[in-house]
Amino acid sequence: MLPTTHNVRDMGAGYMNMATLQEDRLGQPGGRIPGTTLFDGEAARRGYALNAMCYSFNDARNREEFRRDEEGYCRRFGLTLEQLEAVRARDVLAMIAAGGNIYYLAKLAGIFGLNVQDVGAQQTGMSVPAFKQMLLDQGAGQDITEARN
Amino acid sequence: MAHIIGGYFTSHVPAIGGAIVRGDQQQPYWKPFFDGFPPVREWLAREKPDVAVCFYNDHGLNFFLDKMPTFAVGAAHEYRNEDEGWGLPLFKSFTGHPDLSWHVIEQLVGDEFDVTMCQSMLVDHALSIPFELAYPDAEAWPVKLVPIAINTVQFPLPSARRCLALGRSVHRALQSWQGDEKIVVIGTGGLSHQLDGARAGFVNPEYDRFCMDSLVNAPEAITVDGTVEIVRKAGSQGVEILNWIAARGALGEGGCRETHRNYHIPISNTAAATVLLEPA
């Protein structure tokens, strides 16, 4: 399910005050997981063409072919209209809503010059520096390096 | 008789490979993570294992969604890495140990784990990076490999309880192996992280601590949760903890000592951890 803009904004706020909003990030046991789409059988079926195209990008020649003729390459894999539009818009949340799996989408994102932190920023509606800072903030005081026992 | 020296557990995110290529190990961003490895390297240099049994998950290199095995055991003479599509350099190949792989497969299927048997198998960064971290100066890997891939990608995933039982079956195989090799067990992936969705960037240090603490001598505690609940607590990709649980199983039901732990947030989008367990 594609989260609404409102939800995305909530997630951003959640990171700013994590202690009190941890429940917002976890949801309730047995319930829906906030901001998360499980890649289940339904998604795998829906996303098959898009994921198959992304899998083809393991081959550098295919990445080049996509760059050369994006529309034609997408057509060859039989992407659905929803998938085509999501790829055209470089919209990762829309790709996930269309059944894309992030491990495969990451191969496509690489062609667009985006790494997983760029993709994370896009999905959370944050700037890339803000997304990276959010991760750093979560690490404050958490480091452990020790010999044990 | 074969001897299991213990196991190490580590994150495997592709960005680590990029940091290694750039020589960024001592940069402030990366140093806290790479500083977790000298104790692992010293231990391996002291123990000199001959074989590595490695539990990991494939990220769309060897397995596509057309055929997705829940559990797959490599039984190849050689395992190569190939272009994964996200700009990583090719990693070194591994020499297999097909005799031991088939022995493990016999035990697993005998124990009613109906695994996929792979005489040809590419291995991705999830397997290579833990070796790059542990043997940074090796021209060729000093261990032969038995790779065991667990589906952590496409739901339904195998339960944590099933992964622990799978590991324990592998342990029985290693115990009955008549060779005199020294064996190291490796679990890769995690800890908490999420790449996809509006919750991207999620990490959960509290749950990670619970997992690391439980892994030592109470791995059953992690297996109480179903895989969806593990995703809730660990993130969509944090469910790679399944690889760690299986690897802990392969160390047997006896007690372990945790001789080293490193934990650092973040590397890329991930809460990174390195743990060393030795038989008690």
Side-chain angles (χ1 to χ4, degrees):
Chain A
M1 191 183 296
L2 184 63
T4 63
T5 308
H6 177 68
N7 287 341
V8 172
R9 206 174 300 125
D10 282 351
M11 291 301 299
Y15 290 121
M16 285 171 224
N17 192 356
M18 281 179 302
T20 53
L21 292 175
Q22 181 70 351
E23 192 180 307
D24 290 352
R25 308 168 76 215
L26 293 174
Q28 295 296 327
R32 190 171 172 275
I33 306 172
T36 302
T37 304
L38 289 182
F39 189 68
D40 58 10
E42 196 274 324
R45 285 164 61 182
R46 192 153 31 86
Y48 194 86
L50 175 59
N51 291 319
M53 182 178 83
C54 293
Y55 178 61
S56 79
F57 296 141
N58 283 354
D59 188 323
R61 286 166 303 187
N62 292 336
R63 298 197 290 273
E64 192 48 46
E65 177 63 22
F66 177 87
R67 283 192 191 97
R68 208 179 54 75
D69 177 16
E70 180 173 325
E71 288 289 321
Y73 199 88
C74 290
R75 261 200 309 278
R76 209 187 316 155
F77 279 84
L79 267 56
T80 65
L81 185 60
E82 186 188 8
Q83 291 167 348
L84 275 173
E85 287 175 352
V87 172
R88 278 186 201 129
R90 288 22 178 174
D91 183 340
V92 176
L93 286 176
M95 294 180 207
I96 291 170
N101 175 277
I102 195 68
Y103 288 140
Y104 293 93
L105 298 179
K107 300 174 197 284
L108 172 62
I111 297 178
F112 300 145
L114 304 173
N115 64 31
V116 292
Q117 295 201 287
D118 300 319
V119 168
Q122 186 195 98
Q123 296 175 101
T124 52
M126 296 182 188
S127 67
V128 174
F131 183 77
K132 289 182 173 176
Q133 189 60 47
M134 173 270 286
L135 279 151
L136 288 167
D137 291 346
Q138 293 187 91
Q142 299 293 346
D143 277 17
I144 303 167
T145 300
E146 55 191 39
R148 302 173 75 87
N149 292 357
Chain B
M1 196 182 116
H3 171 60
I4 303 170
I5 64 165
Y8 72 90
F9 303 73
T10 185
S11 307
H12 64 214
V13 299
I16 300 168
I20 291 171
V21 172
R22 293 189 305 273
D24 279 354
Q25 292 91 332
Q26 293 304 308
Q27 295 297 316
Y29 183 85
W30 288 102
K31 184 173 165 44
F33 171 69
F34 281 94
D35 279 355
F37 275 86
V40 176
R41 292 172 197 151
E42 288 157 18
W43 176 68
L44 290 169
R46 201 164 58 238
E47 297 287 340
K48 296 186 176 55
D50 308 292
V51 182
V53 176
C54 184
F55 296 85
Y56 75 109
N57 58 292
D58 181 88
H59 300 67
L61 178 65
N62 190 70
F63 299 114
F64 178 55
L65 304 169
D66 57 342
K67 305 172 194 70
M68 177 55 77
T70 298
F71 299 120
V73 181
H77 290 279
E78 186 190 28
Y79 302 93
R80 284 181 301 105
N81 179 232
E82 277 189 2
D83 191 343
E84 297 179 43
W86 37 46
L88 285 177
L90 285 195
F91 294 107
K92 292 188 279 289
S93 295
F94 291 83
T95 301
H97 192 329
D99 289 342
L100 179 55
S101 286
W102 284 110
H103 176 74
V104 167
I105 289 166
E106 288 284 352
Q107 178 77 49
L108 282 167
V109 177
D111 287 343
E112 301 182 342
F113 289 91
D114 305 320
V115 298
T116 300
M117 302 164 250
C118 304
Q119 290 201 72
S120 172
M121 190 179 191
L122 298 171
V123 293
D124 74 357
H125 69 275
L127 198 140
S128 295
I129 283 176
F131 287 85
E132 293 282 349
L133 289 164
Y135 297 102
D137 303 317
E139 285 187 18
W141 303 126
V143 290
K144 292 180 176 177
L145 177 67
V146 175
I148 302 177
I150 297 177
N151 168 31
T152 68
V153 176
Q154 182 178 312
F155 276 80
L157 310 181
S159 71
R161 199 170 65 173
R162 187 74 174 151
C163 292
L164 182 61
L166 173 96
R168 286 177 172 165
S169 176
V170 171
H171 179 75
R172 288 190 286 277
L174 301 181
Q175 275 192 311
S176 65
W177 176 243
Q178 293 301 304
D180 60 0
E181 294 97 331
K182 294 172 91 173
I183 300 170
V184 59
V185 172
I186 304 170
T188 92
L191 285 177
S192 62
H193 65 300
Q194 177 153 338
L195 304 177
D196 52 322
R199 203 175 66 149
F202 171 87
V203 293
N204 190 344
E206 190 183 343
Y207 181 68
D208 290 340
R209 205 171 309 118
F210 161 76
C211 287
M212 289 187 285
D213 290 348
S214 302
L215 196 72
V216 186
N217 281 319
E220 290 85 356
I222 317 172
T223 70
V224 169
D225 282 325
T227 51
V228 174
E229 291 308 303
I230 293 177
V231 166
R232 181 187 308 283
K233 295 174 183 175
S236 304
Q237 286 72 41
V239 78
E240 290 169 343
I241 188 71
L242 294 177
N243 303 327
W244 287 43
I245 293 167
R248 175 61 185 88
L251 295 178
E253 295 193 45
C256 278
R257 289 183 303 129
E258 183 184 27
T259 51
H260 174 64
R261 176 188 296 191
N262 177 273
Y263 183 74
H264 171 69
I265 301 172
I267 55 168
S268 188
N269 293 7
T270 300
T274 305
V275 168
L276 183 52
L277 298 185
E278 296 181 62

